[in-house]
């Protein structure tokens, strides 16, 4: 009979790996986990958590400005980056310890080293000649930032390095307008950095609802963030005091720092997957079934490395389902429908379900309910900024297919709306829900009138 050193070997101690390793151990499995950088992975070390703390830090600028009309004097304001980033790093260190202790407490053997597959049951870790045999292997190696290939690409920093900056630049170019680009644009702008976003597409935030994309682009523009769409970078040159970013259209921008926020790729190239015959998809992700099983029967994969929906709660959910399926004898498929998500830009976005465009593309005939209004707080603060709320409703079934919010606390509002959408709530049920007043969220249950596209004026192109 084949003997194994471990029932489960997990490669990668990020959101997915830590959850799967801990649960499997709690269910009685003998588990080892290898981590080549820091326990906690992207989310804790250089993603969601430190990013959100920087978001909080950057939003004080707006809060101080709003405070004046509420009677507060906020003179002599100063911002100190080393204080903020130092405190963020301390919190990351604390969480790193919490995650490490969690694994230890569950009895998981932690190997702080790189691990590579030699075959489907054998793992080799750096600094050891002894191969490790495991019955089941879980790949939870996450992803890494992709940097565009162009002359001077070595001058790019990525989101990883944003958390290592010792000082803030006076100006920055951000290449890419996905959610990470938009979040860092807002963080840097809030902290007083002059931000230019260069984006090759025709609007920010591809795949989000068009009203959210247009609304956020307009709000960021009002806040002085220059967003140049249809603009591709040709090359980057180092010059005294910074860099010159040359665009393909002949323009150039001089800045202190250049950040690539142009997408992420799965970490599959250096894990030895080819030695085990694991099938990879078009962008190098591990192809898995609904139980996160790869093409090799004892090798599973969860999280960003599978490139399904690259978010922390999804990685955790997939890991939980994996542990239930393999170690608790309860086949648990993962349902990827109705995943709420946020863009922690300023203003922020919360969204769940289908965009209007996606709903129509899928063949739904939809009613649109939407409202743009000035939140109560901004009336006294004197802020010229609107909040947007939108529901996409299936005309036939009355089900709410999508809920989209742009403005303060959008993420918090949409997290709750996501429960209703997941349960298949109808517009009539939204309407039957009592409003909580005065709040912004109450607008979602008081949207009475269907939105109709403005009638084109006689003689205009659209009327033709
Ligand atoms: C800047 C940024 C902001 C984000 N913000 C959000 C957000 O607000 N909300 C949200 O839900 N998601 C956010 N995400 C996405 C989220 O961080 C990821 O979806 C999540 O961390 C994925 O978890 P994972 O377990 O798949 O991988 P990871 O957390 O990336 O963990 C993978 C781990 O594997 C390790 N590893 C890789 N190869 C090996 C090897 N061969 N041997 C040993 N160890 C290895 C890595 O060092 C890493 O620690 C953000 C991501 C970024 C980059």
């Amino acid at each position: 009979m084949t003997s194994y050193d471990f029932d489960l070997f997990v490669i990668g101690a990020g959101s997915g790996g830590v959850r799967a390793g801990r649960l499997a151990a709690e269910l009685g499995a003998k588990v080892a986990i290898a981590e080549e950088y820091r326990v906690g992975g992207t989310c804790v070390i250089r993603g969601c958590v430190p990013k959100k703390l920087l978001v909080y830090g950057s939003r004080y600028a707006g809060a101080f400005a709003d405070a004046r009309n509420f009677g507060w004097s906020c003179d002599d304001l100063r911002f100190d980056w080393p204080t903020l980033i130092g405190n963020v790093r301390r919190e990351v260190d604390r969480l790193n310890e919490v995650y490490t202790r969690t694994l230890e407490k569950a009895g998981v053997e932690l190997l702080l080293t790189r691990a590579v597959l030699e075959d489907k049951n054998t793992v080799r870790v750096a600094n050891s000649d002894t191969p490790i045999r495991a019955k089941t292997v879980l790949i939870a190696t996450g992803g890494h930032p992709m940097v565009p290939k162009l002359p001077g690409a070595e001058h790019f920093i990525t989101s990883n390095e944003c958390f290592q900056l010792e000082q803030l630049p006076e100006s920055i170019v951000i290449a890419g307008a996905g959610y990470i680009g938009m979040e860092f644009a807002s963080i840097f702008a809030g902290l007083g950095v002059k931000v230019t976003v260069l984006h090759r597409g025709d609007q920010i935030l591809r795949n989000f609802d068009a009203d959210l994309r247009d609304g956020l682009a307009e709000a960021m523009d009002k806040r002085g963030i220059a967003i140049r769409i249809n603009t591709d970078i040709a090359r980057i040159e180092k010059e005294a005091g910074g860099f010159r970013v040359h665009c393909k259209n002949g323009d150039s921008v001089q800045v202190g720092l250049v950040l690539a926020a142009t997408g992420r790729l799965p970490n599959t190239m250096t894990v030895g997957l080819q030695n085990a015959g694991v099938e990879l998809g078009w962008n190098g992700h591990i192809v898995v079934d609904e139980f996160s099983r790869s093409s090799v029967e004892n090798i599973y994969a969860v999280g960003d490395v599978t490139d399904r929906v690259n978010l922390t709660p999804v990685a955790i959910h997939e890991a939980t389902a994996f542990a239930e399926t393999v170690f608790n004898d309860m086949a648990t498929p993962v349902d990827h429908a109705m995943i709420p998500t946020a863009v922690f830009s300023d203003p922020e976005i919360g969204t769940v379900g289908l965009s209007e465009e996606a709903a129509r593309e899928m063949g739904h005939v939809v009613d649109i309910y939407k409202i743009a209004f000035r939140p109560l707080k901004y009336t006294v603060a004197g802020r010229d900024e609107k909040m947007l709320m939108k529901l996409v409703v299936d005309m036939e079934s009355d089900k709410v297919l999508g809920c989209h919010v742009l403005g303060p606390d959008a993420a918090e509002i949409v997290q709750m709306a996501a429960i209703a959408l997941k349960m298949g709530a109808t517009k009539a049920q939204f309407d039957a829900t009592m409003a909580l007043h005065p709040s912004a969220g109450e607008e979602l249950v008081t949207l009475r009138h269907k939105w109709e596209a403005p009638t084109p004026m006689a003689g205009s192109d659209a009327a033709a």
Side-chain angles (χ1 to χ4, degrees):
M1 214 177 78
T2 323
S3 73
Y4 297 106
D5 301 301
F6 294 97
D7 300 314
L8 172 66
F9 195 101
V10 183
I11 306 184
S15 305
V18 168
R19 176 58 64 95
R22 174 173 72 74
L23 287 185
E26 285 171 359
L27 288 165
K30 190 174 177 209
V31 182
I33 190 166
E35 171 52 53
E36 67 174 350
Y37 183 54
R38 296 185 71 189
V39 174
T42 305
C43 172
V44 172
I45 307 296
R46 45 197 183 185
C48 334
V49 172
K51 177 224 38 207
K52 187 81 188 272
L53 291 170
L54 292 184
V55 166
Y56 285 131
S58 66
R59 287 185 183 171
Y60 279 96
F64 287 128
D66 288 347
R68 291 202 171 88
N69 280 357
F70 286 95
W72 294 90
S73 311
C74 310
D75 303 328
D76 193 25
L77 284 175
R78 269 166 296 149
F79 169 70
D80 184 52
W81 170 254
T83 302
L84 173 59
I85 198 68
N87 286 331
V88 169
R89 285 180 195 151
R90 263 184 287 285
E91 177 56 11
V92 167
D93 291 346
R94 190 186 71 79
L95 289 171
N96 169 244
E97 275 173 31
V98 170
Y99 274 67
T100 305
R101 275 202 306 275
T102 303
L103 287 172
E104 287 168 353
K105 234 173 98 188
V108 175
E109 186 161 331
L110 174 60
L111 306 164
L112 283 176
T113 177
R114 159 171 286 253
V116 175
L117 276 177
E118 284 199 340
D119 62 43
K120 74 185 188 62
N121 292 108
T122 312
V123 182
R124 180 81 66 168
V125 294
N127 311 325
S128 168
D129 291 334
T130 317
I132 298 170
R133 302 267 303 151
K135 187 170 180 213
T136 301
V137 174
L138 178 69
I139 311 294
T141 46
H144 62 274
M146 187 178 68
V147 174
K149 289 189 177 67
L150 49 85
E154 67 277 13
H155 302 308
F156 275 121
I157 64 161
T158 70
S159 58
N160 289 348
E161 288 73 48
C162 288
F163 305 109
Q164 307 298 332
L165 294 176
E166 295 309 329
Q167 57 184 35
L168 281 180
E170 279 182 17
S171 56
I172 190 166
V173 153
I174 300 179
Y179 84 94
I180 293 177
M182 292 300 91
E183 291 178 341
F184 277 106
S186 294
I187 290 169
F188 283 118
L191 299 178
V193 178
K194 185 171 182 296
V195 179
T196 306
V197 176
L198 303 180
H199 178 47
R200 56 156 49 151
D202 61 4
Q203 184 53 294
I204 63 170
L205 292 176
R206 191 161 57 94
N207 293 337
F208 282 73
D209 188 274
D211 280 315
L212 293 178
R213 302 172 77 186
D214 294 345
L216 181 61
E218 195 185 315
M220 290 177 95
D221 178 66
K222 270 194 190 159
R223 288 171 186 227
I225 297 173
I227 300 177
R228 300 196 196 166
I229 54 169
N230 299 315
T231 305
D232 228 348
I233 298 179
R235 63 182 203 281
I236 305 168
E237 271 171 11
K238 177 129 188 58
E239 36 177 62
F243 304 94
R244 183 161 290 277
V245 181
H246 296 270
C247 305
K248 286 189 180 163
N249 62 10
D251 289 352
S252 76
V253 194
Q254 203 213 5
V255 280
L257 213 52
V258 196
L259 166 64
T262 39
R264 291 174 65 81
L265 286 173
N267 287 331
T268 46
M269 291 308 146
T270 55
V271 194
L273 296 167
Q274 69 288 356
N275 302 330
V278 175
E279 185 192 340
L280 300 184
W282 66 275
N283 70 341
H285 63 277
I286 298 178
V287 178
V288 289
D289 67 14
E290 59 187 328
F291 300 104
S292 298
R293 188 196 288 250
S294 78
S295 58
V296 178
E297 41 99 41
N298 74 311
I299 299 180
Y300 290 73
V302 295
D304 287 9
V305 75
T306 63
D307 199 22
R308 285 175 280 182
V309 181
N310 297 334
L311 293 169
T312 290
V314 180
I316 291 174
H317 209 92
E318 290 165 357
T320 307
F322 156 78
E324 288 292 339
T325 302
V326 180
F327 296 101
N328 206 23
D329 211 16
M330 281 192 7
T332 310
V334 179
D335 176 8
H336 288 96
M338 289 292 179
I339 296 171
T341 187
V343 181
F344 292 104
S345 45
D346 201 5
E348 82 184 23
I349 282 177
T351 178
V352 60
L354 298 178
S355 67
E356 180 180 343
E357 300 72 35
R360 290 192 199 281
E361 263 167 40
M362 287 170 71
H364 291 282
V365 179
V366 291
D367 284 329
I368 300 300
Y369 295 83
K370 64 180 172 183
I371 183 169
F373 61 98
R374 198 142 74 120
L376 181 62
K377 185 174 161 192
Y378 291 176
T379 56
V380 169
R383 259 209 220 200
D384 175 24
E385 196 170 284
K386 292 220 160 117
M387 186 155 190
L388 173 82
M389 301 218 173
K390 175 171 179 179
L391 293 179
V392 179
V393 179
D394 182 64
M395 215 188 225
E396 200 186 330
S397 64
D398 196 40
K399 274 200 178 149
V400 181
L401 303 173
C403 172
H404 311 287
V405 179
L406 170 71
D409 303 318
E412 307 291 341
I413 294 168
V414 167
Q415 172 66 89
M416 291 297 107
I419 303 172
L421 266 70
K422 185 80 184 167
M423 292 172 74
T426 59
K427 176 67 170 60
Q429 288 167 323
F430 267 63
D431 295 344
T433 304
M434 201 69 83
L436 188 160
H437 183 74
S439 69
E442 69 180 305
E443 298 294 335
L444 283 180
V445 295
T446 53
L447 284 166
R448 291 287 179 264
H449 302 291
K450 282 179 204 168
W451 185 82
E452 280 168 27
T455 315
M457 299 221 310
S460 74
D461 287 351

